[in-house]
Amino acid sequence: IMVASLLWSFHITAIWKLQTTHRTVMCSIDEEVAKLLQLKAQLGGEDGKHVFVLKTAKGTRDYNPKQMAIREKVFNTIIGCFKRHGAETIDTPVFELKETLTGKYGEDSKLIYDLKDQGGELLSLRYDLTVPFARYLAMNKITNIKRYHIAKVYRRDNPAMTRGRYREFYQCDFDIAGQYDPMIPDAECLKIVYEILSELDLGDFRIKVNDRRILDGMFAMCGVPDEKFRTICSTVDKLDKASWEDVKNEMVKEKGLSEGVADQIGEYVSMQGGMDLAERLLQDPKLSQSKQACAGLADMKQLFSYLQLFQVTDKVLFDLSLARGLDYYTGVIYEAVLSQMIQAPVVAEQNGALPGDEASVSVGSVAGGGRYDGLVGMFDPKGKKVPCVGVSIGIERIFSIMEQKAELLAEKVRTTETQVLVASAQKNLLEERLKLTTELWNAGIKAEVLYKKNPKLLTQLQHCEETGIPLVAILGEQELKDGVVKLRKVASREEVDVPREELVEELKRRTSKLP
């Protein structure tokens, strides 16, 4: 009995082990099959073709014709303002030597896109247009220029696309390089920001101004060690996004300041005003002991006197919390902020977001800049300095607002500039339509023709209404006999016969009045 019992026990154990092994093997097989199916999906379908994931890279986006039409309008406004102020334009490569960009952006340097070694050179995508501009000045030994530059820059950031923040985006920069009397170029840069934001009609805005010398003097008088000026400046710069408590916590726990020093800084960065604040701070017991701070405050007073002449002081605010984190600023700094919130589409990349959702978000800064007198000297072999001041317009954030406005107002945005459609009233007139279209193109008139031999007249007129083409030049057998073209105004449906030889001049006269 005992032997039988032992044999039965061994039998049961063996069966259990076999079943367990089987389950383990089957589970392992299922996992491997799942991996193979996933790999197959990545490599290709049943026919062996590669299956692409159709999406834009993180922090980038496509723009459709309607969006591009709005962008072009914004660009034209900005470029028109830059040219009105006498600027010429340049261009620089999209990537620079890595050493050109290293050490210029403070804590933001971690956001620079590095490229792999290319032909023995370590390269990085440009982070902004200011450092390449300074390199350009030093390399070409230019000491005076007023230039604008509109181009894409790249930042390895965590994109907040609802706020117009991307990894690839345009900057629109205006800079004045050269030795001039204090604050005149600086005031013109602020005037340019004022003009652009007013002309784009983005709603209420404020332009905050401060001076790095005032900040550094304030830090020194409050007891911040010299070597911590720039890193504390980067922390203060977060006050537009974070509360004072959060900023103070970073100063004390992460940057190593005492609570007493942080509290003293807190008293100053809460101050706002105009020329009156600059005058008051010149009498401040602490700041008046700093030559740096006094020089900055004196220039701030001078700046406000010029801003009064430029008639922009209603939008400018002297704000001691403004820091701007970039290391290269040496004097006046400024930043334009919109007062309104916008309803922005929530992108799928955000945690828990569903496509089509909307969120009310603050747009944040739409322009910023300042004085950077030492940057060019970093590239000059002899350290020769070229004083510079400039401003950068945040086109992506502005575009987000313009796009939303167009949607809210249900504006019909034209995506082409076609002035006239050459149409026919009967069949077999394709050659005549093409001849007339060629005449108009040669005369510099923006014209279109439908790509069909015998389109219906109604179809051609509907095309004009759908695309916003204002005029139609209609050819028919009778018009050809009479040597005329029937010119139709799409909006009013008014028609008039125009002699063929006078058509170009008539079209030029009419299109000159179009918006």
Side-chain angles (χ1 to χ4, degrees):
I1 294 170
M2 288 180 63
V3 172
S5 178
L6 285 170
L7 287 172
W8 178 252
S9 177
F10 284 133
H11 179 66
I12 293 297
T13 302
I15 292 173
W16 178 81
K17 285 183 177 180
L18 283 170
Q19 288 175 337
T20 302
T21 304
H22 177 73
R23 281 196 297 268
T24 303
V25 170
M26 291 303 295
C27 185
S28 177
I29 290 172
D30 288 343
E31 288 177 2
E32 294 302 319
V33 169
K35 288 179 183 178
L36 287 171
L37 288 173
Q38 186 179 7
L39 182 61
K40 180 182 178 183
Q42 292 174 353
L43 294 175
E46 295 295 331
D47 55 0
K49 291 182 179 178
H50 180 73
V51 178
F52 291 99
V53 178
L54 294 175
K55 66 183 288 291
T56 58
K58 184 178 181 181
T60 66
R61 64 176 292 192
D62 294 322
Y63 295 91
N64 62 40
K66 181 179 176 181
Q67 292 166 330
M68 285 304 298
I70 297 172
R71 284 174 76 86
E72 285 186 1
K73 181 181 177 182
V74 175
F75 278 134
N76 290 339
T77 298
I78 293 171
I79 292 171
C81 180
F82 289 165
K83 288 185 175 181
R84 186 163 62 244
H85 285 263
E88 52 194 344
T89 190
I90 66 165
D91 195 14
T92 61
V94 73
F95 46 79
E96 297 274 352
L97 294 177
K98 183 177 179 179
E99 61 183 325
T100 299
L101 306 183
T102 302
K104 312 300 189 302
Y105 302 107
E107 294 182 3
D108 283 348
S109 291
K110 62 182 180 291
L111 303 181
I112 294 173
Y113 264 112
D114 290 331
L115 303 177
K116 287 185 177 180
D117 182 0
Q118 300 290 332
E121 292 184 332
L122 294 176
L123 307 173
S124 299
L125 294 177
R126 60 188 173 202
Y127 178 89
D128 67 2
L129 301 179
T130 306
V131 171
F133 174 56
R135 189 266 307 154
Y136 172 84
L137 294 181
M139 198 171 93
N140 293 283
K141 296 183 170 32
I142 296 170
T143 56
N144 293 78
I145 190 174
K146 185 190 290 187
R147 82 89 171 88
Y148 74 89
H149 187 187
I150 296 179
K152 286 184 176 181
V153 298
Y154 300 85
R155 297 185 183 179
R156 194 168 49 83
D157 203 352
N158 287 320
M161 293 173 72
T162 53
R163 296 180 62 192
R165 191 180 182 98
Y166 302 91
R167 287 181 163 185
E168 175 193 65
F169 57 95
Y170 273 99
Q171 280 191 340
C172 305
D173 281 20
F174 174 97
D175 293 84
I176 300 172
Q179 188 72 52
Y180 302 106
D181 287 340
M183 296 299 104
I184 302 174
D186 310 64
E188 184 173 11
C189 286
L190 291 170
K191 173 66 171 174
I192 285 169
V193 176
Y194 183 97
E195 288 180 5
I196 289 172
L197 296 184
S198 299
E199 193 171 344
L200 291 174
D201 192 23
L202 299 171
D204 193 28
F205 63 89
R206 288 290 178 272
I207 305 172
K208 300 178 182 180
V209 298
N210 199 2
D211 194 298
R212 271 290 174 83
R213 293 167 296 173
I214 299 172
L215 281 169
D216 287 351
M218 177 187 73
F219 292 151
M221 293 302 103
C222 290
V224 177
D226 290 359
E227 68 274 9
K228 291 190 176 181
F229 279 13
R230 291 288 71 87
T231 186
I232 295 302
C233 199
S234 293
T235 302
V236 170
D237 190 47
K238 297 176 183 178
L239 277 170
D240 63 333
K241 308 178 192 73
S243 68
W244 166 248
E245 287 305 316
D246 290 336
V247 169
K248 178 184 174 181
N249 190 56
E250 183 176 318
M251 286 182 181
V252 175
K253 294 186 177 178
E254 296 181 29
K255 303 295 174 70
L257 291 188
S258 69
E259 284 206 22
V261 171
D263 287 337
Q264 289 183 64
I265 293 172
E267 291 177 16
Y268 281 110
V269 297
S270 64
M271 296 181 181
Q272 295 180 340
M275 187 187 291
D276 59 323
L277 178 58
E279 292 171 343
R280 194 165 78 247
L281 289 172
L282 280 168
Q283 306 304 318
D284 183 87
K286 286 184 180 178
L287 283 185
S288 60
Q289 297 176 39
S290 168
K291 289 184 178 179
Q292 263 192 314
C294 287
L297 289 166
D299 276 352
M300 189 63 65
K301 282 183 62 179
Q302 184 70 70
L303 177 67
F304 268 89
S305 69
Y306 292 140
L307 294 177
Q308 286 177 341
L309 297 173
F310 284 152
Q311 302 176 354
V312 299
T313 49
D314 60 313
K315 298 292 185 184
V316 181
L317 183 70
F318 178 19
D319 186 338
L320 275 147
S321 72
L322 178 66
R324 294 197 61 79
L326 299 179
D327 276 4
Y328 52 63
Y329 289 122
T330 57
V332 170
I333 50 177
Y334 33 83
E335 191 167 274
V337 181
L338 296 185
S339 304
Q340 69 181 62
M341 304 281 283
I342 66 165
Q343 289 299 122
V346 176
V347 292
E349 292 174 33
Q350 293 175 294
N351 292 334
L354 294 174
D357 286 353
E358 288 198 344
S360 182
V361 294
S362 171
V363 177
S365 170
V366 292
R371 178 160 286 281
Y372 50 102
D373 290 346
L375 189 56
V376 177
M378 291 184 181
F379 299 109
D380 189 89
K382 297 180 180 178
K384 184 178 179 181
K385 293 184 177 181
V386 178
C388 296
V389 64
V391 64
S392 181
I393 308 297
I395 186 69
E396 305 298 344
R397 292 179 176 179
I398 289 174
F399 169 65
S400 295
I401 299 165
M402 298 291 285
E403 186 180 8
Q404 185 197 25
K405 277 180 64 178
E407 289 177 1
L408 289 175
L409 299 173
E411 290 179 0
K412 191 169 183 179
V413 179
R414 283 201 67 191
T415 57
T416 71
E417 296 183 5
T418 306
Q419 298 166 321
V420 57
L421 177 76
V422 178
S424 56
Q426 287 101 22
K427 293 182 178 181
N428 303 320
L429 292 176
L430 174 61
E431 289 186 7
E432 295 297 334
R433 282 191 291 138
L434 296 180
K435 284 180 186 177
L436 181 55
T437 305
T438 302
E439 286 180 34
L440 300 184
W441 285 339
N442 291 344
I445 293 169
K446 297 167 185 174
E448 271 189 47
V449 62
L450 292 193
Y451 304 136
K452 291 189 75 174
K453 285 187 176 181
N454 298 306
K456 294 178 180 179
L457 181 58
L458 181 60
T459 301
Q460 296 169 92
L461 296 177
Q462 284 176 339
H463 174 73
C464 293
E465 291 181 357
E466 289 168 3
T467 58
I469 299 173
L471 299 168
V472 190
I474 303 173
L475 291 172
E477 292 174 0
Q478 190 61 47
E479 283 78 14
L480 290 171
K481 287 179 183 177
D482 297 341
V484 299
V485 175
K486 192 178 293 295
L487 194 57
R488 178 186 175 102
K489 192 173 180 180
V490 175
S492 64
R493 302 185 180 182
E494 170 195 344
E495 294 182 347
V496 61
D497 287 343
V498 179
R500 180 72 172 257
E501 64 273 11
E502 297 176 14
L503 180 63
V504 168
E505 288 306 314
E506 178 64 17
L507 284 172
K508 286 184 176 180
R509 184 183 68 80
R510 292 195 181 209
T511 54
S512 66
K513 299 177 182 178
L514 293 173

